[in-house]
C-alpha cells in the first residue's frame, strides 16, 4: 500500500509543479516593487471614439527578454467596458523583447474621458515586480450628426421598462379547441348509436358434415380437373376432402397425419363398416401422384372420386348399436281367461 501511495504521489507531483502560481490580488500587486520597461507606447484605434461603439486600446511594452509582462485588469474600468483582450508574446531569442496587449473596449459616456492606469505583473530574475501603465485621455463623441440638436434631435436617457399590451390568441385557441372537442364528441355519439342500432348479421347454421362433404365432392366433380391435365391438383383436393371428413367424423387431426399415421389412428378408432382396403389403395395412389409425379388415367381419377362417395355412404350416418333383446321371463303370467 505504501508503494502504491508513493507511485501516485510521483505521478501527481509533476503535474502540480507545472501549474502556474495563482495571480496576486490587486492589493498584493500594489505592494510589489516597481519596475520600468525600456519603452512603452499606447494608441487608440480608431482615433475618433464614438459612444457605445467598440475601439481597440493597444499597449506596446519593450523590455528585457528575461522579463515577462502579464496584464492584471482591475475589476472596475470606470466609464469603459471591456469586451475582449489579447496578448501577443515577444519573439523568442529577440533582444529587447516586445509584448503587445490589445484591449477591445467601449465607452458609455460623452466628453473627455481618461482610461484608467493598468497594472502589470512583471516576472523578473530577481522576483515578481509591478508596472503601472499610465492612463490616457480621449474624447468620446456622440453618434448623432452635428446639426442634430438644431434639428430637435438629442440623446435621451434610457427609459424604464414599460408595460406593453400584446394581443394574445390564447382565448381564441381555447374556444376553437372546445368547439373541436364538442364536434368530435357528437360524431362519436352518432357512430355509437348507428353501431348499436345496426341489424345483427344473420348467422347461418353450419350444415351437417355429410352434406358439406358431399357438396365438396360435387364441386370437385364439376370442375373436371383431370380433363384439364391437372391430375395432381385433383388428388390434392380429393385428399383434403377425404382427410377433412375423416378427422371431423372420428375426432382427430387427419390433415396433419402422414399416410401411415392416418391408418394407425383409424384402426385405433375401429370404425364399423369402414372400407379400409379402399382407403389404403386411395392413399397409396394419391401419394404417388402428389409426391412421386406418377401418372394417373381419367378412369383412375373417376374411381378415386367414386371412393369418396363410397366412404361417405358407408360411414354416415353413424351407426347406432342395436339395443339388447329382452331375456325371456319364465315366471310371466299366462293369458287372462275370463
Amino acid at each position: 500500500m505504501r508503494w502504491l501511495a508513493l507511485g501516485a504521489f510521483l505521478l501527481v507531483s509533476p503535474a502540480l509543479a507545472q501549474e502556474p502560481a495563482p495571480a496576486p490580488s490587486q492589493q498584493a500587486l500594489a505592494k510589489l516593487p516597481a519596475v520600468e520597461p525600456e519603452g512603452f507606447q499606447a494608441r487608440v484605434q480608431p482615433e475618433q471614439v464614438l459612444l457605445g461603439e467598440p475601439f481597440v486600446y493597444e499597449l506596446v511594452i519593450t523590455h528585457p527578454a528575461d522579463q515577462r509582462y502579464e496584464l492584471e485588469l482591475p475589476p472596475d474600468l470606470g466609464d469603459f467596458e471591456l469586451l475582449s483582450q489579447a496578448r501577443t508574446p515577444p519573439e523568442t531569442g529577440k533582444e529587447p523583447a516586445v509584448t503587445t496587449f490589445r484591449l477591445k473596449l467601449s465607452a458609455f459616456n460623452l466628453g473627455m474621458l481618461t482610461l484608467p492606469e493598468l497594472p502589470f505583473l512583471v516576472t523578473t530574475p530577481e522576483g515578481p515586480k509591478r508596472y503601472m501603465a499610465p492612463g490616457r485621455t480621449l474624447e468620446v463623441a456622440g453618434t448623432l450628426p452635428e446639426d442634430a440638436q438644431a434639428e430637435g434631435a438629442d440623446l435621451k436617457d434610457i427609459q424604464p421598462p414599460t408595460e406593453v399590451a400584446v394581443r394574445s390568441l390564447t382565448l381564441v385557441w381555447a374556444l376553437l379547441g372546445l368547439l373541436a372537442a364538442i364536434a368530435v364528441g357528437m360524431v362519436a355519439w352518432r357512430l355509437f348509436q348507428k353501431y348499436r342500432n345496426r341489424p345483427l348479421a344473420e348467422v347461418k347454421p353450419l350444415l351437417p358434415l355429410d352434406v358439406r362433404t358431399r357438396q365438396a365432392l360435387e364441386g370437385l366433380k364439376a370442375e373436371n380437373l383431370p380433363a384439364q391435365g391437372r391430375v395432381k391438383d385433383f388428388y390434392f383436393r380429393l385428399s383434403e376432402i377425404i382427410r377433412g371428413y375423416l378427422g371431423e367424423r372420428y375426432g382427430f387431426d387427419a390433415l396433419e397425419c402422414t399416410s401411415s399415421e392416418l391408418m394407425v389412428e383409424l384402426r385405433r378408432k375401429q370404425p364399423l363398416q369402414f372400407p379400409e382396403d379402399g382407403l389404403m389403395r386411395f392413399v397409396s395412389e394419391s401419394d404417388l401422384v402428389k409426391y412421386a409425379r406418377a401418372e394417373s388415367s381419367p378412369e383412375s381419377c373417376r374411381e378415386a372420386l367414386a371412393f369418396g362417395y363410397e366412404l361417405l355412404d358407408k360411414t354416415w350416418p353413424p351407426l347406432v348399436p342395436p339395443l339388447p333383446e329382452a331375456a325371456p321371463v319364465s315366471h310371466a303370467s299366462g293369458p287372462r281367461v275370463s
Side-chain angles (χ1 to χ4, degrees):
M1 181 62 69
R2 288 183 298 174
W3 288 106
L4 182 61
L6 179 59
F9 174 76
L10 294 177
L11 290 175
V12 175
S13 57
L16 295 177
Q18 293 177 1
E19 293 183 359
S25 62
Q26 296 291 328
Q27 295 178 354
L29 186 62
K31 296 179 181 180
L32 295 177
V35 65
E36 290 292 331
E38 296 181 4
F40 174 77
Q41 295 180 355
R43 57 178 176 267
V44 176
Q45 298 175 352
E47 296 181 356
Q48 184 180 7
V49 178
L50 299 179
L51 180 67
E53 294 188 359
F55 65 94
V56 176
Y57 183 34
E58 185 179 72
L59 300 95
V60 180
I61 302 176
T62 304
H63 57 87
D66 58 356
Q67 294 181 355
R68 176 183 176 86
Y69 279 71
E70 294 290 346
L71 176 61
E72 301 292 335
L73 282 174
D76 185 12
L77 294 179
D79 295 329
F80 300 92
E81 179 183 5
L82 177 66
L83 303 179
S84 64
Q85 63 174 326
R87 176 181 181 275
T88 303
E91 297 181 8
T92 304
K94 186 176 180 180
E95 185 70 38
V98 178
T99 304
T100 304
F101 296 88
R102 291 181 177 85
L103 306 180
K104 191 174 184 180
L105 306 169
S106 63
F108 49 89
N109 208 345
L110 294 174
M112 300 299 296
L113 304 179
T114 301
L115 289 165
E117 294 182 345
L118 298 179
F120 288 86
L121 174 63
V122 185
T123 303
T124 66
E126 296 82 13
K129 297 182 180 181
R130 64 180 176 86
Y131 167 66
M132 296 296 295
R136 172 171 176 160
T137 302
L138 53 85
E139 183 178 4
V140 179
T143 56
L144 295 177
E146 297 180 357
D147 57 347
Q149 188 171 3
E151 296 293 335
D154 197 2
L155 290 176
K156 297 182 179 180
D157 196 3
I158 300 175
Q159 297 293 329
T162 304
E163 184 176 354
V164 178
V166 179
R167 181 178 298 175
S168 176
L169 299 178
T170 304
L171 182 60
V172 176
W173 286 113
L175 182 59
L176 291 177
L178 179 61
L179 293 177
I182 294 174
V184 171
M186 293 179 63
V187 172
W189 175 255
R190 290 184 179 180
L191 291 176
F192 172 74
Q193 293 292 335
K194 184 178 179 181
Y195 175 81
R196 188 178 64 174
N197 298 330
R198 80 186 193 285
L200 296 178
E202 182 179 357
V203 179
K204 294 183 179 180
L206 187 64
L207 296 175
L209 174 60
D210 64 321
V211 177
R212 287 184 278 119
T213 305
R214 195 173 298 275
Q215 289 179 352
L217 292 173
E218 293 292 338
L220 181 60
K221 180 180 179 180
E223 291 186 35
N224 197 13
L225 296 178
Q228 305 174 24
R230 299 168 58 187
V231 177
K232 186 175 181 180
D233 294 341
F234 169 80
Y235 274 95
F236 265 109
R237 293 274 300 280
L238 183 58
S239 178
E240 289 181 355
I241 294 173
I242 292 178
R243 283 173 174 266
Y245 168 75
L246 292 175
E248 189 174 349
R249 170 69 177 83
Y250 296 107
F252 69 100
D253 193 359
L255 291 173
E256 296 298 329
C257 292
T258 63
S259 299
S260 58
E261 291 172 348
L262 177 66
M263 300 307 301
V264 170
E265 189 68 28
L266 287 172
R267 292 190 184 102
R268 187 182 297 118
K269 301 293 182 181
Q270 296 182 353
L272 299 175
Q273 298 183 1
F274 186 81
E276 182 177 345
D277 295 339
L279 180 61
M280 291 183 63
R281 286 196 303 272
F282 169 75
V283 169
S284 300
E285 183 179 356
S286 175
D287 288 346
L288 289 174
V289 174
K290 290 190 298 182
Y291 305 116
R293 298 183 180 181
E295 298 292 335
S296 180
S297 64
E299 183 64 26
S300 299
C301 295
R302 285 193 294 270
E303 292 177 358
L305 184 61
F307 170 74
Y309 286 103
E310 177 188 356
L311 177 66
L312 181 62
D313 293 336
K314 288 186 177 182
T315 57
W316 193 273
L319 296 178
V320 179
L323 296 175
E325 295 182 358
V329 180
S330 59
H331 58 276
S333 59
R336 192 173 184 178
V337 179
S338 57

